[in-house]
Amino acid sequence: MQLHFSPSMRSITISCSNGFIGLMKIKVAARHISYRTLFHTILILAFLLPFVFILTAVVTLEDCLGRRLGPRFLGRVDDSGRLVRDFYKILNQVNAEEIPHGLKLPASFSQLVSDMKNNQYDARTFAFMLRAMMEKSEWEIRESKFSELMNKHFAASSIPKGIHCLSLRLTDEYSSNAHARKQLPPPELLPLLSNKSYHHFILSTDNILAASVVVASTVQSSQKPEKIVFHVITDKKTYAGANLSDTTPRTFASKLQARSPKYISLLNHLRIYIPELFPNLDKVVFLDDDVVIQHDLSPLWEIDLEGKVNGAVETCKGEDEWVMSKHFRNYFNFSHPLISKNLDPDECAWAYGMNIFDLSAWRKTNIREKYHSWLRENLKSNLTMWKLGTLPPALIAFKGHVHPIDPSWHMLGLGYQNNTNIESVKKAAVIHYNGQSKPWLQIGFEHLRPFWTKYVNYTNDFIRNCHILES
């Protein structure tokens, strides 16, 4: 700011270099204004003009920045905040009330916008329409998920046409061909069934194609196939229904799996009788029929179980929530007093499917009696103590009798997870297609199926005639 006095001292010129206040002239009448008054006037103007400049700048910025700075600086109220608070209030009111009966919902969001323009809905009506549309969508998604799970359950539980055909053709061959009815094994090989120097595998199955893959992959992967003896146990399937009330899709999926014939079949319970079924054996490897053997398993017989009964892979040391992050809390109902009293929810679970059993040590325990005792308690509790299946009672019965083995021996989850790491699959000694997506089913994962189909003999007449094709 600059002040210029005229030579006669009758006028004062005030100029601002910022350009907002251009020029101001004050004429002074010597007769009426003293120099003291003039001095005070100039001093007051010198203080006021910067504030005039700031106010002018704020108004200018307010217009340029869309009223962002001005309201806060000048203490004005921003209407947008009030509108948001009013809308929150309406949403809370609508959420607490019943949706009006007979409310006609638009088929899409674009139709909702169009209806708002045409019918000029108020905010309350719009909120009701939005809530009703969201609840309808949630219900439809839920129903669709349940339908998907049910269809997948039926697909997993049913017998594929090709496998059914294979069973019928083999049955016909057995009844019509005397050579097919010959004793197995031949009499001269019977002593091998109890020879402890051999590697004895036990396979419990009612799926002949799956069983053939287990046997073929074991033999082809072995460095000493002549030392292998397979004991195959088979029986008919059983089945039970599922309760659909008061559940979530994820819980429903678990219930369907637990009630699958695969999990409640008598064949699964027979494994608790292995010491009695094979009284002349001391050590065996138990295999499920949905596994593939990729490496020689003879080193399993060299593992020191340190007096334990069951050599198994623990399933609580991984990151995925479906397979390798399982603790007792994932299987048991800890709101039940017997469960909460006797079990620790954080105790690590282990896997069935590839287990080394020391039968000599097993015979010295009460594992079977404990298994039956807990089954009876669960029946008394209307099957509410754990998820259906044979693993939960086994987790209790084998408690304190499990020796953890290296996870590389047994990789699980190939029937659950589409994103299974292929490199990890290649390295595993045993891969396990536990879950619904079995490799012999259409719902199996395509990129994981070749690890199984490579052991199917597609040149066999029975397999070829039943159109069990490699895919």
Side-chain angles (χ1 to χ4, degrees):
M1 180 186 297
Q2 296 178 344
L3 302 177
H4 300 280
F5 296 88
S6 67
S8 62
M9 297 295 291
R10 291 183 178 276
S11 67
I12 301 171
T13 302
I14 304 173
S15 64
C16 294
S17 59
N18 54 40
F20 284 91
I21 306 296
L23 186 66
M24 184 180 295
K25 291 184 178 180
I26 301 175
K27 292 184 177 181
V28 180
R31 294 191 300 267
H32 303 294
I33 301 178
S34 66
Y35 287 109
R36 182 182 294 275
T37 302
L38 176 63
F39 174 76
H40 287 113
T41 302
I42 295 171
L43 190 63
I44 291 172
L45 288 173
F47 277 105
L48 287 178
L49 285 174
F51 287 101
V52 173
F53 164 72
I54 292 174
L55 180 61
T56 305
V58 167
V59 173
T60 304
L61 288 173
E62 181 180 357
D63 292 336
C64 295
L65 300 179
R67 302 181 63 83
R68 292 182 184 176
L69 178 62
R72 288 197 299 270
F73 190 85
L74 300 175
R76 302 176 188 173
V77 177
D78 189 353
D79 290 341
S80 63
R82 180 177 58 80
L83 290 174
V84 171
R85 288 192 296 272
D86 290 346
F87 192 59
Y88 285 156
K89 183 178 180 180
I90 293 173
L91 289 177
N92 287 328
Q93 291 175 351
V94 167
N95 189 48
E97 298 177 14
E98 293 291 332
I99 297 177
H101 180 71
L103 186 65
K104 186 177 180 181
L105 299 179
S108 63
F109 182 76
S110 59
Q111 185 180 339
L112 172 64
V113 174
S114 177
D115 290 347
M116 286 181 62
K117 293 179 180 178
N118 297 333
N119 302 324
Q120 296 187 351
Y121 292 150
D122 57 21
R124 181 180 176 82
T125 304
F126 169 75
F128 268 120
M129 298 286 286
L130 194 61
R131 176 189 166 191
M133 289 179 67
M134 291 184 66
E135 290 185 0
K136 180 183 177 183
S137 297
E138 289 173 358
W139 182 85
E140 290 175 347
I141 292 172
R142 179 182 173 86
E143 289 297 307
S144 175
K145 187 64 178 178
F146 278 124
S147 297
E148 176 190 351
L149 292 170
M150 183 64 78
N151 291 334
K152 191 171 184 179
H153 169 69
F154 288 143
S157 302
S158 61
I159 301 175
K161 183 178 179 180
I163 295 180
H164 182 64
C165 165
L166 183 62
S167 298
L168 291 177
R169 285 184 175 271
L170 290 174
T171 301
D172 180 67
E173 181 72 11
Y174 182 83
S175 63
S176 61
N177 187 343
H179 184 71
R181 296 193 299 272
K182 69 180 181 179
Q183 181 181 344
L184 291 175
E188 63 272 17
L189 296 181
L190 280 176
L192 300 182
L193 295 179
S194 56
N195 190 325
K196 298 177 183 179
S197 66
Y198 282 74
H199 295 155
H200 294 266
F201 293 88
I202 298 174
L203 174 62
S204 178
T205 182
D206 55 7
N207 185 328
I208 190 168
L209 183 63
S212 71
V213 168
V214 176
V215 173
S217 63
T218 303
V219 171
Q220 294 180 36
S221 301
S222 175
Q223 294 181 4
K224 297 179 180 179
E226 71 279 1
K227 299 288 290 183
I228 291 177
V229 177
F230 259 95
H231 305 265
V232 181
I233 307 171
T234 188
D235 191 17
K236 293 182 178 179
K237 283 187 176 180
T238 55
Y239 183 79
N243 182 7
L244 304 181
S245 62
D246 300 328
T247 186
T248 64
R250 177 161 183 166
T251 303
F252 181 58
S254 298
K255 287 183 177 181
L256 286 178
Q257 178 186 327
R259 294 165 189 255
S260 166
K262 173 70 179 176
Y263 292 91
I264 65 173
S265 170
L266 179 61
L267 290 173
N268 275 336
H269 289 283
L270 282 177
R271 67 187 83 188
I272 205 68
Y273 299 101
I274 287 178
E276 288 74 32
L277 292 172
F278 304 96
N280 298 320
L281 299 179
D282 292 337
K283 203 169 190 179
V284 299
V285 169
F286 178 87
L287 298 174
D288 276 350
D289 64 1
D290 53 356
V291 303
V292 173
I293 314 303
Q294 301 189 125
H295 299 305
D296 179 33
L297 297 186
S298 58
L300 291 176
W301 273 263
E302 306 302 323
I303 294 178
D304 181 8
L305 298 183
E306 300 178 359
K308 304 295 185 181
V309 173
N310 180 4
V313 168
E314 292 182 318
T315 55
C316 66
K317 305 294 178 66
E319 297 180 355
D320 62 284
E321 59 179 333
W322 273 105
V323 182
M324 296 302 290
S325 299
K326 299 294 187 182
H327 296 79
F328 274 30
R329 63 175 172 268
N330 298 108
Y331 296 97
F332 296 97
N333 174 18
F334 277 88
S335 64
H336 194 286
L338 274 178
I339 295 296
S340 59
K341 179 181 178 181
N342 291 279
L343 301 179
D344 178 5
D346 294 322
E347 185 165 345
C348 188
W350 48 268
Y352 259 148
M354 198 288 290
N355 305 84
I356 315 160
F357 289 132
D358 185 336
L359 303 186
S360 297
W362 191 338
R363 295 185 185 102
K364 299 174 184 177
T365 69
N366 64 341
I367 290 175
R368 186 188 64 181
E369 291 76 13
K370 194 174 183 181
Y371 186 90
H372 284 289
S373 173
W374 280 92
L375 284 181
R376 286 192 294 268
E377 291 296 336
N378 194 34
L379 287 173
K380 292 178 185 177
S381 300
N382 196 28
L383 306 179
T384 59
M385 294 174 66
W386 58 70
K387 294 181 180 180
L388 291 179
T390 56
L391 180 58
L395 291 175
I396 300 176
F398 283 99
K399 195 171 184 295
H401 299 289
V402 178
H403 176 79
I405 62 175
D406 193 285
S408 63
W409 282 111
H410 185 190
M411 182 178 181
L412 297 108
L414 275 71
Y416 281 124
Q417 302 185 105
N418 188 33
N419 60 346
T420 301
N421 185 279
I422 296 297
E423 292 304 315
S424 298
V425 173
K426 293 176 180 178
K427 296 176 183 178
V430 176
I431 55 175
H432 195 169
Y433 291 84
N434 58 313
Q436 290 183 317
S437 301
K438 305 297 185 189
W440 56 83
L441 299 175
Q442 290 295 324
I443 59 174
F445 300 124
E446 291 293 335
H447 64 296
L448 299 177
R449 183 175 287 129
F451 293 97
W452 185 85
T453 55
K454 66 185 291 187
Y455 294 105
V456 177
N457 182 9
Y458 288 99
T459 63
N460 180 273
D461 290 339
F462 292 103
I463 291 177
R464 188 172 63 252
N465 291 335
C466 286
H467 304 290
I468 301 177
L469 302 177
E470 186 172 9
S471 60

